[in-house]
């Protein structure tokens, strides 16, 4: 098969590595890709928001499957436009991607399908939202309805912070994403993520992960896209995973199908595991970054075959097999991240790190300048280690980190602390 993978981050590099191992693959293109994907695939320049241009490329290059990494093209309906032109795509339709694109849509689905989640109210009116806050009190969680690049959620410990978050949404801090606001109960417990593959009808668990969102050690400081992750999540026991599938993921897939918007692709459930079991925090309609870097290499399956089956609505596999190994990834970020990252600093030693046993390095925000490799973003590299358990995976990952010579970067040294207790 000829495959076009859309995206440019560490997630896409990890997907490219897995896809390139498939015996079904003839040629892999990545748009736009990064210097890491360039080593194993052909990077192509395409304006992904121009769906006509993507369709035209697929026809010229005889693409059999398009795999979409990030959420924006899904929410924009790229899958709909590809399928309308007879091109198979892995990822949900515009309507099904609303599971990520609109928090209010997902809350309404939870009501219909009786999916356990935080109690909530939704508001498109500032005064009504503020009145609701007076009733609930703090702590409370305020969310802009739409996609806000991970910045639209405030877990408010005081009513003053909650009011400020509501004001920010209605004053346009998140543009159209904040025109509607969801206010919900703060859930207690430990967070974990569960990934599942669906062809619109059947759904299979793909693995669990936990990430570290805060920039600082001990999970302190501002939120980021994720500073590290590991898989499996120790808290996601077989029993908890079975409950999360039966009570959250399977009902969601069934409800989407019943609504005439079958969800095909990977459903990423962000869960809070509390005393009375798993509750849904949010769905994402795509793989996580950096969770993909730890979830996908654990698959003891042909990822391309699975994705193609999902796209064609013919997922027949009984159960997805995982290797009996753990994975842990450390994000190397440029100084300044998550604020304005310093660009253009030189990175050395990747080959040395990648030559170590049980270490894989993926590129997230790099660029080539002749023979030199430069930082070109906030999250720049991911160093992933593998081992018999999370502790061994972490040891391998930090050996890889220490082999890299990049004075312009930093990382957290405590990834996995919760799992290692
Ligand atoms: P979201 O963008 O919905 O994933 O929210 C970002 C983060 O906010 C989550 O990963 C949680 O840490 C936190 N969060 C969101 N909703 C809740 C909630 N209802 N209770 C507690 N924490 C939450
Ligand atoms: N790491 C969280 C995400 O991909 O949304």
């Amino acid at each position: 098969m000829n495959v076009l993978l859309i995206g440019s981050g560490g997630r896409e590099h990890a997907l490219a590595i897995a896809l390139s191992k498939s015996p079904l693959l003839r040629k892999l293109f990545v748009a736009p890709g990064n210097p890491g994907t360039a080593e194993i695939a052909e990077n192509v320049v395409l304006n992904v928001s121009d769906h006509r241009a993507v369709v035209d490329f697929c026809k010229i290059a005889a693409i059999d499957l398009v795999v979409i990494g990030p959420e924006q093209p899904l929410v924009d309906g790229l899958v709909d436009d590809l399928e309308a032109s007879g091109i198979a795509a892995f990822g949900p339709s515009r309507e099904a991607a609303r599971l990520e694109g609109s928090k209010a849509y997902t809350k309404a689905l939870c009501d219909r399908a009786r999916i356990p989640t935080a109690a909530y109210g939704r508001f498109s009116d500032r005064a009504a939202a503020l009145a609701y806050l007076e009733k609930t009190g703090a702590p409370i969680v305020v969310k802009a309805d739409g996609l806000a690049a991970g910045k639209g959620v405030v877990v408010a410990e005081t009513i003053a912070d909650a009011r400020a978050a509501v004001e920010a949404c209605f004053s346009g801090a998140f543009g159209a994403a904040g025109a509607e606001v969801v206010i919900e109960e703060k859930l207690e417990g430990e967070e974990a993520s569960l990934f599942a593959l669906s062809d619109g009808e059947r759904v299979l668990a793909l693995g669990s992960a936990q990430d570290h969102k805060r920039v600082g050690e001990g999970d302190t400081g501002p939120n980021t896209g994720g500073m590290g992750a590991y898989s499996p999540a120790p808290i996601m026991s077989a029993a908890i995973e079975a409950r999360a599938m039966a009570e959250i993921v399977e009902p969601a897939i069934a409800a989407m199908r019943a609504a005439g918007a079958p969800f095909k692709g990977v459903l990423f459930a962000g869960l809070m595991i509390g005393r009375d079991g798993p509750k849904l925090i949010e769905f994402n309609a795509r793989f996580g970054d950096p969770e993909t870097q730890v979830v996908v290499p654990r698959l003891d399956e042909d990822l391309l075959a699975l994705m193609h089956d999902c796209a064609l609505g013919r997922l027949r596999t009984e159960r997805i097999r995982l290797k009996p190994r753990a994975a842990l990834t450390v994000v190397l970020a440029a100084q300044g991240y998550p604020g304005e990252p310093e660009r253009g600093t030189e990175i050395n030693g990747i080959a040395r790190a990648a030559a170590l046993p049980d270490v894989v390095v993926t590129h997230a925000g790099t660029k080539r300048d002749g023979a030199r490799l430069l930082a070109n973003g906030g999250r720049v590299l991911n160093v992933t280690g593998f081992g018999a358990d999370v502790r061994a995976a972490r040891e391998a990952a930090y050996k890889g980190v220490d082999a890299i010579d990049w004075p312009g970067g930093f990382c957290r040294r405590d990834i996995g602390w919760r799992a290692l207790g």
Side-chain angles (χ1 to χ4, degrees):
M1 282 196 271
N2 294 326
V3 177
L4 171 64
L5 170 63
I6 305 235
S8 65
R11 165 181 51 205
E12 285 75 23
H13 190 184
L15 290 173
I17 291 170
L19 291 170
S20 62
K21 289 181 178 154
S22 170
L24 299 175
L25 184 74
R26 188 181 315 137
K27 175 126 186 142
L28 178 62
F29 298 91
V30 191
N34 65 37
T37 63
E39 289 169 8
I40 51 172
E42 182 174 334
N43 287 351
V44 291
V45 179
L46 263 180
N47 176 4
V48 172
S49 57
D50 180 352
H51 296 184
R52 188 75 250 162
V54 179
V55 167
D56 288 346
F57 174 82
C58 290
K59 293 205 163 140
I60 291 164
I63 296 295
D64 300 292
L65 180 70
V66 180
V67 175
I68 298 164
E71 62 274 20
Q72 195 66 51
L74 299 168
V75 169
D76 291 344
L78 180 56
V79 169
D80 308 63
D81 289 334
L82 288 165
E83 288 183 345
S85 298
I87 299 159
F90 177 82
S93 66
R94 175 191 283 126
E95 181 67 18
R98 292 181 73 193
L99 275 185
E100 172 160 2
S102 166
K103 301 196 189 295
Y105 178 90
T106 298
K107 286 303 216 179
L109 179 108
C110 288
D111 289 345
R112 289 205 305 282
R114 302 185 190 288
I115 292 172
T117 185
Y120 75 104
R122 55 189 280 194
F123 305 93
S124 45
D125 173 76
R126 183 179 157 277
L130 292 173
Y132 184 81
L133 284 184
E134 299 311 318
K135 224 172 52 195
T136 60
I140 193 84
V141 183
V142 178
K143 302 183 173 186
D145 175 66
L147 290 183
K151 301 199 175 79
V153 175
V154 173
V155 180
E157 296 300 333
T158 66
I159 200 78
D161 288 351
R163 279 197 210 106
V166 165
E167 297 287 2
C169 286
F170 287 116
S171 68
F174 307 110
E180 184 160 349
V181 171
V182 169
I183 300 178
E184 65 181 37
E185 162 202 11
K186 184 184 173 199
L187 297 173
E188 300 297 338
E190 188 170 332
E191 281 188 71
S193 304
L194 180 61
F195 293 81
L197 275 186
S198 180
D199 65 353
E201 185 175 354
R202 297 199 55 219
V203 57
L204 297 171
L206 193 67
S208 64
Q210 279 178 300
D211 74 342
H212 295 268
K213 290 202 172 68
R214 306 296 194 99
V215 74
E217 279 167 20
D219 294 316
T220 55
N223 260 318
T224 70
M227 293 301 290
Y230 47 93
S231 174
I235 191 162
M236 197 74 85
S237 62
I240 297 278
E241 180 176 307
R243 278 191 65 182
M245 287 299 291
E247 296 171 21
I248 296 171
V249 174
E250 287 163 11
I253 295 293
M256 292 304 288
R257 197 171 150 75
F263 184 96
K264 290 190 307 181
V266 59
L267 187 61
F268 164 174
L271 306 174
M272 188 70 85
I273 319 295
R275 247 180 310 189
D276 45 354
K279 287 188 176 170
L280 180 71
I281 297 175
E282 61 157 0
F283 281 129
N284 292 306
R286 49 159 178 92
F287 276 106
D289 191 344
E291 290 88 339
T292 305
Q293 290 84 314
V294 290
V295 168
V296 165
R298 295 184 59 234
L299 297 179
D300 198 7
E301 300 279 353
D302 180 339
L303 180 67
L304 177 51
L306 285 173
M307 286 179 154
H308 194 227
D309 285 347
C310 286
L312 298 186
R314 60 168 201 206
L315 188 60
R316 301 276 179 273
T317 312
E318 276 305 311
R319 159 182 98 75
I320 293 177
R321 285 166 308 180
L322 300 179
K323 296 174 193 158
R325 303 185 86 200
L328 182 143
T329 193
V330 178
V331 171
L332 302 193
Q335 300 292 351
Y337 180 76
E340 194 48 51
E342 191 187 341
R343 285 169 202 269
T345 54
E346 187 172 347
I347 303 164
N348 284 293
I350 290 190
R352 193 164 54 230
L356 293 169
D358 298 318
V359 175
V360 171
V361 181
T362 42
H363 292 238
T366 62
K367 75 169 184 202
R368 286 248 171 245
D369 176 30
R372 300 192 310 153
L373 185 72
L374 306 180
N376 190 38
R379 294 188 293 172
V380 172
L381 292 171
N382 319 117
V383 182
T384 308
F386 300 90
D389 53 23
V390 174
R391 185 177 301 277
R394 168 152 111 161
E395 236 164 74
Y398 281 110
K399 277 194 188 134
V401 168
D402 291 337
I404 290 175
D405 171 20
W406 179 33
F410 72 96
C411 69
R412 280 181 56 171
R413 302 292 318 189
D414 65 342
I415 301 303
W417 67 269
R418 208 182 292 277
L420 301 178

